[in-house]
Amino acid sequence: MPHITLVRHGQANTEARDEISYDRLSDLGHQQARWLGAHMDSTGDRFQRVYCGTLTRHIETATSMGAEKHAEIIQDPRLNEFTYFTLSQLMEEQHGLAVPAEREGFVEHLPAVLGAWERGEIEGAPESYIDFETRVRDAMADIAKGEGRALVVTSGGLIGMVLRQTLSLDVGGWSKMCLAIMNTSVHRWQMVLDQPLLVQFNGVPHLEMPERHNAQTHL
């Protein structure tokens, strides 16, 4: 039975306000990834296939996890995040929607941006919503066809899209899932009769010890 584990990257540059500046792990992000890799080693979690996007934060997370011990890391650009910073800037320029300064503000900001993107209301978007949705669906379908357990290191928005496709979520539900996903969280799917079943969401067993609670980050 094909089994796919998706991991969100470690904490990135939280001070960034553009795609390039955001795309590197913080010191804590590297530590989160090392802890996750050590936890998987200690519990005997083994993978026959390993994938990640081509973004720096994906590669750094997979490397700090020690994912290459399982299998050669295959980089696939279809596993890259959508350009949220750019979409947000375009929304502010075209629709006057200011980017929040605090995490709480994204509860309303994220569904507004994603909804406008889906409806084609953001001019000059680097990628259309349908192109993003299609590449995620195609990448996951290709991974599901392979043999053995697969590990996929990617981003929260992409994991949220897989959840949307699995659970038939609307934009509001997709947004809530994205906001909940923690850094280096673990999400698992099993394929049953060619259908993906979600069997674990947002697991952070490597961060459950009291002394690591401060490492349970979303941004």
Side-chain angles (χ1 to χ4, degrees):
M1 181 183 299
H3 185 288
I4 303 173
T5 295
L6 269 63
V7 171
R8 185 191 175 194
H9 62 78
Q11 183 191 63
N13 177 18
T14 58
E15 302 300 318
R17 293 297 180 268
D18 60 75
E19 310 294 345
I20 295 175
S21 299
Y22 182 70
D23 193 26
R24 65 176 187 270
L25 293 191
S26 66
D27 291 342
L28 177 58
H30 282 287
Q31 182 61 72
Q32 291 167 330
R34 287 192 293 269
W35 279 333
L36 177 56
H39 174 78
M40 288 179 166
D41 288 344
S42 68
T43 57
D45 219 354
R46 297 292 180 266
F47 302 93
Q48 287 71 51
R49 298 174 290 141
V50 179
Y51 304 87
C52 73
T54 61
L55 298 176
T56 299
R57 60 189 184 271
H58 298 160
I59 298 167
E60 289 182 339
T61 299
T63 301
S64 288
M65 286 176 62
E68 71 280 356
K69 293 185 294 186
H70 298 270
E72 178 185 359
I73 300 173
I74 299 172
Q75 297 180 25
D76 187 339
R78 295 179 300 174
L79 299 172
N80 288 350
E81 181 66 289
F82 62 86
T83 54
Y84 183 66
F85 285 103
T86 303
L87 292 173
S88 296
Q89 291 164 0
L90 292 171
M91 274 291 288
E92 185 167 14
E93 294 169 5
Q94 298 172 21
H95 302 283
L97 181 66
V99 180
E102 298 180 353
R103 179 171 178 262
E104 288 73 15
F106 287 95
V107 173
E108 295 183 354
H109 185 266
L110 183 60
V113 172
L114 295 182
W117 186 36
E118 182 181 38
R119 295 189 298 271
E121 296 172 356
I122 303 178
E123 296 182 9
E127 177 181 32
S128 70
Y129 167 81
I130 191 64
D131 284 348
F132 175 67
E133 180 184 46
T134 300
R135 70 169 163 89
V136 173
R137 190 185 304 278
D138 290 348
M140 292 299 293
D142 287 345
I143 293 170
K145 293 175 184 176
E147 296 184 3
R149 301 175 77 245
L151 172 67
V152 180
V153 180
T154 182
S155 290
L158 188 139
I159 295 172
M161 173 53 73
V162 180
L163 288 163
R164 182 180 194 183
Q165 294 171 347
T166 302
L167 303 175
S168 302
L169 301 174
D170 61 12
V171 168
W174 176 27
S175 301
K176 290 177 182 177
M177 287 294 191
C178 290
L179 289 168
I181 294 171
M182 289 187 281
N183 294 116
T184 62
S185 55
V186 178
H187 312 257
R188 299 186 190 273
W189 278 259
Q190 287 184 346
M191 302 298 295
V192 179
L193 298 178
D194 295 326
Q195 295 295 318
L197 297 181
L198 178 68
V199 295
Q200 180 179 343
F201 170 71
N202 219 25
V204 286
H206 57 300
L207 304 177
E208 295 291 359
M209 296 77 94
E211 65 273 17
R212 296 182 186 176
H213 284 179
N214 65 336
Q216 295 181 8
T217 59
H218 294 84
L219 296 176

